[in-house]
Amino acid sequence: MESVIVGGPASTDLALSLSRLLKLPLLSVKYTEFPDGESKVTFSEKVDGSTVILVQSTYPPIDKHLMELFFLAHHMSQEGAKVHAVIPYLAYARQDKQFLPGEVVSLAVLSHLLRSAGVSRITTVDIHSAESLRLFSIPIYSASAIPSLVQYAKKNLSVTKPIIIAPDFGASKRTEAFATLYGGEYARLSKERDRVTGDVKVRQEDLDVKERDVLIVDDIISTGGTVRAAAELLRKAGAHKVFALCTHALLVGDAQERLVSAGVNEIIGTNTVPSKVSKVDVSEVIASHLRTLTE
Ligand code: R5P
């Protein structure tokens, strides 16, 4: 039976784009809200027996987007569909272990909830850490947006003597992959985050960025604390232009303004989180993976 695409309210454009790329029909669903903020989902077509590619990112408001995802998945699996959730930005992925005693491993709970809601397979983009995939008992694949970010950078950023910077240890692999494809030198900063206040400090001795343009590459920019600290350090060390590239630009609160005031010339994100800075489209990256499953 033919597959269909369902676009959750967080990812309507991406769902439309996947439906065009994969030449699959887009099922129509109505999303409304009760006066107290509860989400309501109404299907106008039957979905029985099909494989459904359910596209719903989980950027803020995170818990609302998750509830919508659960409602959609549960209804469709009850109707007999096999639900493949495409969750371009997978929330809670950073709490994949206990950092301080007593902390709940949120990603483990989320994994359980997705499965209980009827999701039988997940595709995401640049999950925070590859190791966290082990918390899932259903197949999960994390596609990489790095080649698309590289393509954007090559085409659109005018840079002199570029150096690619990982703002912390966790960003190393991604940033190294970026540097290899981009063809630039690569360096890593050391980051310390206060696990209680969330405050960030970055350090790096022997870093020669004088008169050079810097591309900071990370998976997520949330409060902007990490990239801000990195940009300040790099500017002090004599960097010329500073670009911040990431897959998921959450930019909570006044993150964008604070990054600009720290000397960031341009922020580049992807449409896993739709916003003014989501300049890179990940539809094709997701579509190519989905094709491997159907061919
Ligand atoms: C952490 O390890 C991540 O890769 C990001 O660097 C971090 O989550 C970004 O968060 P924020 O923008 O709040 O510093």
Side-chain angles (χ1 to χ4, degrees):
M1 197 163 291
E2 197 185 27
S3 300
V4 293
I5 309 247
V6 167
S11 297
T12 42
D13 288 352
L14 202 47
L16 181 62
S17 171
L18 285 174
S19 128
R20 285 185 183 140
L21 287 169
L22 298 168
K23 299 188 175 43
L24 292 177
L26 195 59
L27 210 76
S28 139
V29 182
K30 195 171 147 206
Y31 303 105
T32 46
E33 200 175 78
F34 287 105
D36 60 2
E38 286 175 348
S39 304
K40 182 174 177 180
V41 174
T42 313
F43 283 79
S44 35
E45 295 168 69
K46 275 196 92 60
V47 284
D48 52 322
S50 323
T51 292
V52 177
I53 295 166
L54 165 58
V55 193
Q56 168 84 336
S57 202
T58 53
Y59 56 84
I62 290 168
D63 294 351
K64 183 167 183 63
H65 287 153
L66 279 173
M67 286 309 291
E68 290 158 350
L69 174 54
F70 297 146
F71 293 160
L72 288 159
H74 185 262
H75 174 83
M76 296 189 290
S77 77
Q78 291 287 301
E79 294 280 295
K82 193 165 168 282
V83 181
H84 179 163
V86 172
I87 313 175
Y89 168 64
L90 182 64
Y92 292 110
R94 285 176 290 174
Q95 188 77 51
D96 57 349
K97 55 170 96 68
Q98 258 192 357
F99 297 96
L100 294 175
E103 285 178 353
V104 171
V105 182
S106 321
L107 189 62
V109 180
L110 180 56
S111 151
H112 177 73
L113 291 173
L114 286 165
R115 188 180 178 160
S116 308
V119 173
S120 60
R121 180 182 282 275
I122 299 168
T123 294
T124 185
V125 182
D126 287 332
I127 192 164
H128 176 61
S129 106
E131 292 76 53
S132 63
L133 297 172
R134 75 185 190 297
L135 294 173
F136 289 81
S137 54
I138 52 173
I140 174 164
Y141 177 77
S142 176
S144 172
I146 291 293
S148 313
L149 285 165
V150 169
Q151 220 178 4
Y152 178 91
K154 280 188 172 171
K155 201 169 158 204
N156 300 285
L157 307 184
S158 133
V159 291
T160 317
K161 292 196 280 175
I163 177 160
I164 323 299
I165 299 280
D168 57 25
F169 178 73
S172 313
K173 273 193 190 153
R174 254 183 267 277
T175 310
E176 221 174 329
F178 185 101
T180 307
L181 291 173
Y182 185 78
E185 198 187 320
Y186 152 83
R188 174 165 66 79
L189 307 180
S190 306
K191 177 171 96 177
E192 275 168 43
R193 185 187 287 278
D194 183 318
R195 288 276 163 207
V196 179
T197 63
D199 288 347
V200 161
K201 279 193 197 124
V202 293
R203 279 181 292 115
Q204 177 62 292
E205 289 98 41
D206 309 328
L207 185 67
D208 184 14
V209 290
K210 232 184 173 75
E211 310 280 300
R212 298 185 72 172
D213 290 336
V214 175
L215 282 72
I216 304 173
V217 179
D218 208 349
D219 59 334
I220 303 170
I221 302 179
S222 178
T223 64
T226 302
V227 171
R228 194 174 67 242
E232 280 169 353
L233 178 124
L234 295 161
R235 284 282 190 189
K236 267 192 204 139
H240 184 218
K241 286 188 243 170
V242 176
F243 298 97
L245 297 101
C246 70
T247 306
H248 315 291
L250 299 173
L251 297 174
V252 301
D254 59 356
Q256 191 165 355
E257 293 72 28
R258 293 173 80 197
L259 288 178
V260 171
S261 66
V264 174
N265 295 75
E266 185 177 341
I267 306 165
I268 297 124
T270 79
N271 57 349
T272 61
V273 181
S275 80
K276 282 192 185 132
V277 306
S278 45
K279 302 165 186 174
V280 175
D281 183 8
V282 292
S283 316
E284 184 49 50
V285 169
I286 297 172
S288 342
H289 171 65
L290 298 178
R291 279 187 207 108
T292 65
L293 301 172
T294 50
E295 275 162 9

